[in-house]
Amino acid sequence: MTKQLFPLALGGLGIGTTEFAIMGLLPDISSSLNVSIPIAGHLISAYAFGVVVGAPILVALSAKFPPKNILIIFMFLFTIFNALSIVSPDYSTLLISRFLSGLPHGAFFGVATIVASRLAKKGKEAQAIASIFTGLTLAILLMVPLVTFIGHHLNWRYSFGVVSLLGLFTILFLYIWLPSMKPLRSVSFKEELEFFKTIKAWHILTIVAIGFAGLFAWFSYIAPLLIHIAGFNIEVVSYLMIVAGAGMVVGNIAGGYLADKRDPVIVAIFLLFLMVISLLLVFFFSESKIVSIILTFVCSALALSFGSPINMIMLKSAKHSEMLAAAFIQAGFNVANSLGALLGGIPLLYGLSFNYPALVGAGMALFGAILCLLFYRKYER
């Protein structure tokens, strides 16, 4: 982590906090706004939809400007829209503010990914990209438990106040420490879109949407898995989420290191197959508390280690379309989020136990690994 990359990681910290903290605040929000928890859960979907919509559109509109200015504008929008959540008088207004908050998410990470790769030393590009996502993983490890505690014991609106404060600090450090750079787009937007008319582009995005969805099939139902299968008390689950956050921090760093040392496609294949094995172990051995703790760390580490290799694959493939490609990757991750939660919940609808989402996740990760192998055979070998 360098001084130049720190503002990008700080932005990731704020984005990760607002994305994941809402999950722990749903009971408080539903009670405060007089809606059911399932209805309040639409706030999560609204944010994810905002990411998918905003990533390509905002990048397309802003790519001709200097990246420092773009990132400051994106973080300004992020701060304003999260501040709107603080004063939302009803559920409908909050739903709109959550959608708006998601708009700059993918665009910020998309531009930040290219900036980090340009600022990195030769051969250290993937580690520089991983440093951005360190903020996202630290959000899960530290900030999400903190703002969830604040939301439970004071008011859920204060949680969005903390996020808005992180946004303001990010704007400040972007202005002070991020160097000025020339606009990142070297071709017209029409030419930039040419890459997304190729099978190769959608092959990569399908790997993200399906392979990474294996994580969310498991992670979306991790709390009931730990309570009903492993036998942990509900009070212990928040501490086990810190274990998951620690795994994500370690995995993110390891993924960046591996992607710089080896072919990112080979690294992605290797990690996806390890994810398949680890999720199968979750399915078969989650009744053991000790094994559950270990697998919570391992699965989280493997999941986040996948981020840097897949970003490098996309950047190396998308000549002259890097920024739009990086934004689409973020949209792909959020599609994976929704798809994993949806498919992972199907066994539960048929009365199966809470270890079955991990089995669904193993199948999705396996499909992603096969797609990666096909990608290697067609484009890399």
Side-chain angles (χ1 to χ4, degrees), residues 164-220:
S164 300
L165 191 61
L166 287 172
L168 290 175
F169 278 116
T170 301
I171 293 170
L172 174 64
F173 287 112
L174 283 170
Y175 179 78
I176 296 173
W177 282 345
L178 191 69
S180 297
M181 301 172 66
K182 295 180 180 179
L184 300 178
R185 177 185 288 168
S186 57
V187 296
S188 69
F189 180 65
K190 183 178 180 181
E191 292 173 301
E192 201 171 15
L193 280 175
E194 288 298 315
F195 174 65
F196 294 96
K197 296 178 182 179
T198 66
I199 295 175
K200 187 176 185 180
W202 294 101
H203 194 148
I204 297 170
L205 291 172
T206 305
I207 293 171
V208 175
I210 295 179
F212 204 71
L215 158 73
F216 286 105
W218 159 72
F219 194 70
S220 299

Side-chain angles (χ1 to χ4, degrees), residues 73-375:
I73 290 172
F74 287 165
M75 194 46 57
F76 175 78
L77 294 174
F78 173 83
T79 303
I80 291 296
F81 294 145
N82 274 282
L84 180 61
S85 297
I86 303 173
V87 297
S88 296
D90 52 40
Y91 172 76
S92 298
T93 309
L94 184 59
L95 190 71
I96 294 171
S97 72
R98 289 300 294 167
F99 170 77
L100 295 174
S101 298
L103 292 176
H105 173 129
F108 180 90
F109 276 126
V111 176
T113 297
I114 308 303
V115 170
S117 66
R118 299 283 175 87
L119 293 175
K121 295 179 181 179
K122 185 68 175 177
K124 300 284 188 180
E125 292 87 354
Q127 293 177 66
I129 292 172
S131 70
I132 302 172
F133 294 97
T134 297
L136 184 65
T137 55
L138 286 176
I140 300 170
L141 176 64
L142 301 174
M143 291 304 298
V144 170
L146 174 62
V147 299
T148 302
F149 179 86
I150 291 172
H152 281 324
H153 292 85
L154 297 176
N155 191 301
W156 60 267
R157 298 179 187 273
Y158 293 162
S159 300
F160 293 105
V162 173
V163 171
S164 300
L165 191 61
L166 287 172
L168 290 175
F169 278 116
T170 301
I171 293 170
L172 174 64
F173 287 112
L174 283 170
Y175 179 78
I176 296 173
W177 282 345
L178 191 69
S180 297
M181 301 172 66
K182 295 180 180 179
L184 300 178
R185 177 185 288 168
S186 57
V187 296
S188 69
F189 180 65
K190 183 178 180 181
E191 292 173 301
E192 201 171 15
L193 280 175
E194 288 298 315
F195 174 65
F196 294 96
K197 296 178 182 179
T198 66
I199 295 175
K200 187 176 185 180
W202 294 101
H203 194 148
I204 297 170
L205 291 172
T206 305
I207 293 171
V208 175
I210 295 179
F212 204 71
L215 158 73
F216 286 105
W218 159 72
F219 194 70
S220 299
Y221 304 97
I222 187 173
L225 172 72
L226 294 171
I227 294 169
H228 298 290
I229 304 298
F232 287 102
N233 292 327
I234 190 171
E235 294 83 6
V236 179
V237 172
S238 58
Y239 297 103
L240 295 176
M241 296 308 294
I242 295 176
V243 173
M248 291 179 183
V249 172
V250 172
N252 178 57
I253 297 170
Y257 177 81
L258 290 171
D260 278 333
K261 297 297 182 182
R262 297 287 186 269
D263 183 341
V265 182
I266 298 296
V267 173
I269 294 169
F270 175 71
L271 292 173
L272 283 169
F273 274 115
L274 286 180
M275 194 184 301
V276 173
I277 295 170
S278 63
L279 289 172
L280 286 175
L281 292 174
V282 170
F283 176 72
F284 286 109
F285 299 108
S286 283
E287 292 182 359
S288 167
K289 290 184 178 180
I290 295 176
V291 173
S292 290
I293 294 172
I294 295 172
L295 289 176
T296 296
F297 180 89
V298 171
C299 290
S300 301
L302 288 172
L304 264 290
S305 63
F306 180 66
S308 294
I310 200 66
N311 269 286
M312 291 301 296
I313 293 169
M314 180 62 98
L315 295 184
K316 289 182 176 181
S317 300
K319 300 295 184 182
H320 309 299
S321 305
E322 296 97 332
M323 189 157 59
L324 191 60
F328 267 104
I329 282 283
Q330 296 305 313
F333 282 133
N334 277 269
V335 171
N337 187 340
S338 301
L339 189 62
L342 174 65
L343 297 182
I346 290 176
L348 305 180
L349 295 176
Y350 288 91
L352 297 174
S353 60
F354 284 105
N355 57 335
Y356 274 85
L359 185 61
V360 174
M364 300 183 78
L366 178 61
F367 192 13
I370 293 170
L371 288 173
C372 249
L373 279 169
L374 294 174
F375 183 90

